[in-house]
Amino acid sequence: MRVTAYVLIADPNFLAASLGSYYRWVDRIVLSYDRTATSWTGTPLPVAECLDVVAAVDTEGKCVHAPGDYARLDHGPLENDTYQRQAALLAASEGADWVLQLDTDEVMLSPETFFASLNRADEVGAAALEYPSRWLYARVGPGRYLEASSRLGGVAASYPGPMAVRSGTRLQLARQAAVPSYRVDFRFRNTDPANRHDAPVHEVVAESAAILHFSWVRDHDTMRRKFGWSGHTEAYSQPQVFRRWAARQLHPRRTVLTSALRGSDWFRLVDVPEPPGGEP
Amino acid sequence: MVVTCADTSPPLAECLAGLVNQEPRPAEVIVVHRRGGAEIVGLRAEFPDVRFVEFEGKTDAARNAGLARAGAEVVAFIDSDCVAQPGWLASLLENYRNPAVAAVGGRLVEPSGGTNTLIGLALPNGTLATGFDRDPGRTIQVEHLSPANASFRRESLDAAGGFGSHYAGDGGTGVTELCLRLHAGGQRICFAPGAVVRKPAADRVPPFWPDLRADYRVRRDHVLLLALVHGTSAKVVRNYLTVAVREEFDCFARMRARSGPVMADGTPRLLSRRLTAPVVVGRGLAGVTGLVAGLAVAVKANAGRKRGG
């Protein structure tokens, strides 16, 4: 089974850890970025800095540059997100059976488990692998994070989309595709609060084998900029989103203790060995 | 090739015609039927190379009866209301070139919905994904097969002792049990999408009164199947019990919903409907009783197996 990957080059945070976690398992990595280093919303992106990080990781020459024109300001950011991913996915599909589509702030904790699940997904005829990630909201101390959880603090899987798809898959929205998926979770019942409680679970893996998604683990300046270039910029650019995030980072215990009282946004405090992670 | 049938009505003739016209031609075709009649005489004349065996019992026992008379290296099973499409047998046999393959099944052309489901998997919560009408575009590995369209390597069937016949229902759970056993033993089971049988769609008109016996049998047979394959104390059995009990307890919510004055579409609900709403609780009770009965049978059967070595 031949596996390639594509990454959207935009954010240097956790990029080295992310690529390094699956580098030796893939044949080729397509680096997709806007040739003018501009985001989907027209803000500048540190593409050159990211490419320097990639060059340090790419010891075997697996990375292939695929610049394009993705800052289409007459389109919405999510539309541009899907457009750029589709172009990158098609480029990565050449000669591949499966294509990984991890974001650059997602780090595989156990590539052995991930690729065992991918092999199984391939055997049973799935067209996508939904592999659970743990969504980290903020770093509150060395090795200590606020993580999205169930209402009562249980583990919650997060699925921003399939982490791997068959080559040539047509994406619907961002990473998502309407194809038969092999779905892995942390429990025999669905643990993703955003999903139906009876969503099928085909395989169970330990939390320690998850993909760590350092989604909002950033310093304040980067976080402000990230909200500007994100595909979800419309929702994230509201001032209260940043204020709430900063306050929760400052008062993690209060955040956890009041979680059950909120209708959504549930968190728990967890220890995550560093690296990966560390000071954003 | 073994055909099992509950009666000898016209679909059987179509089924047999589909089998004898396969390329390659099957080495033998055995029909295990439950009730003899005038039709059999006609079918014997029409299909002189086919062996007819009369047998009274459930489908899995009928399959065993056919198996005992079959001499081929690969034995395929098909239901009498199914018609094998051209290329069915060739697609099944092609996969046996790999010596690791113990069983091969094929596709049912019967709409079952759920186009995005995976095919023939046993889930960690104990339920089974079917999706046997789907075409994955290539041969894939599965964990169980449709009882209506399955074939097995003879030596694997003999080593497993044929199909289990502990089941109350007549839906071919013995085939599922055998597949799960083979898979648990590390043997390979394949789903060949080119091996197609046409199966008529089941009558899906819901009965006015719920069939409590069916609810009982479904739960009993399923928990029994899991406990026989994995052991009574296996995690997957506990997972299934959790899921099943939770689903059955939903009957109280369903009862509450059905006893309300207004239907989901806004029209008023008939008083008779409201008064009979508690019937759905009976379905829940039947299901839970089935779970308990299935576990009891499994404990006894597993203890018997242990004693028998």
Side-chain angles (χ1 to χ4, degrees), chain B residues 6 22 70 102 127 131 193 196 206 216 220 227 233 287:
Chain B
Q22 288 292 316
T127 60
V196 182
Y216 166 86
R220 175 196 180 277
S233 56

Side-chain angles (χ1 to χ4, degrees), chain B residues 94-120:
Chain B
E94 192 186 319
N95 291 283
Y96 285 101
R97 283 191 203 138
N98 180 347
V101 171
V104 183
R107 197 152 58 90
L108 302 181
V109 186
E110 174 198 23
S112 67
T115 52
N116 271 354
T117 57
L118 295 183
I119 304 165

Side-chain angles (χ1 to χ4, degrees), chain A residues 245-268:
Chain A
W245 171 76
R248 285 174 179 164
Q249 190 179 28
L250 205 59
H251 305 288
R253 283 202 183 79
R254 190 178 72 190
T255 303
V256 171
L257 287 172
T258 55
S259 253
L261 307 175
R262 289 193 291 273
S264 58
D265 288 357
W266 305 314
F267 299 102
R268 63 178 187 169

Side-chain angles (χ1 to χ4, degrees), chain A residues 222-243:
Chain A
T222 313
M223 205 62 196
R224 280 196 192 91
R225 276 186 279 128
K226 181 179 160 80
F227 285 163
W229 77 55
S230 163
H232 304 280
T233 189
E234 205 173 318
Y236 291 172
S237 56
Q238 305 291 328
Q240 68 267 27
V241 176
F242 179 83
R243 277 204 305 270

Side-chain angles (χ1 to χ4, degrees), chain A residues 98 120-128 166 177-183 187-189 197-204, chain B residues 115-119 121-125 129 134 136 138-143 183 188 235 238-240 242-243 246 250:
Chain A
W98 286 85
R120 185 73 187 133
D122 184 64
E123 283 172 357
V124 303
R166 269 191 195 283
V179 292
S181 296
Y182 184 78
R183 195 163 171 278
R187 303 278 185 271
F188 71 91
R189 276 182 297 184
H197 78 278
D198 59 351
V201 176
H202 299 112
E203 187 183 332
V204 177
Chain B
T115 52
N116 271 354
T117 57
L118 295 183
I119 304 165
L121 290 184
L123 307 189
N125 69 1
R134 271 200 55 225
R138 65 190 172 104
T139 296
I140 57 167
Q141 289 186 42
V142 293
E143 294 173 32
H183 180 261
R188 188 174 291 190
K235 195 172 180 187
R238 292 201 302 272
N239 292 350
Y240 180 70
T242 310
V243 170
R246 203 172 154 156
D250 272 354

Side-chain angles (χ1 to χ4, degrees), chain A residues 139-145 270-274 278-279:
Chain A
R139 183 175 185 264
V140 298
R144 196 104 171 114
Y145 292 83
V270 290
D271 293 317
V272 177
E274 294 176 344
E279 190 74 45

Side-chain angles (χ1 to χ4, degrees), chain A residues 90-216:
Chain A
L90 288 178
S93 293
E94 285 175 30
D97 299 306
W98 286 85
V99 179
L100 301 192
Q101 42 173 12
L102 269 72
D103 277 356
T104 54
D105 57 358
E106 292 169 341
V107 180
M108 274 184 207
L109 285 181
S110 170
E112 294 81 4
T113 312
F114 180 91
F115 283 93
S117 296
L118 187 59
N119 269 323
R120 185 73 187 133
D122 184 64
E123 283 172 357
V124 303
L129 171 67
E130 300 255 12
Y131 196 86
S133 48
R134 290 169 56 189
W135 198 80
L136 300 178
Y137 181 70
R139 183 175 185 264
V140 298
R144 196 104 171 114
Y145 292 83
L146 273 176
E147 179 191 343
S149 69
S150 69
R151 184 185 281 267
L152 296 177
V155 67
S158 164
Y159 301 89
M163 290 296 168
V165 290
R166 269 191 195 283
S167 55
T169 297
R170 174 68 43 192
L171 299 175
Q172 272 201 326
L173 183 72
R175 273 185 272 188
Q176 293 163 15
V179 292
S181 296
Y182 184 78
R183 195 163 171 278
V184 183
D185 204 328
F186 300 127
R187 303 278 185 271
F188 71 91
R189 276 182 297 184
N190 165 54
T191 63
D192 175 16
N195 223 320
R196 288 169 53 94
H197 78 278
D198 59 351
V201 176
H202 299 112
E203 187 183 332
V204 177
V205 296
E207 290 169 45
S208 57
I211 288 175
L212 275 189
H213 186 184
F214 292 91
S215 183
W216 289 25

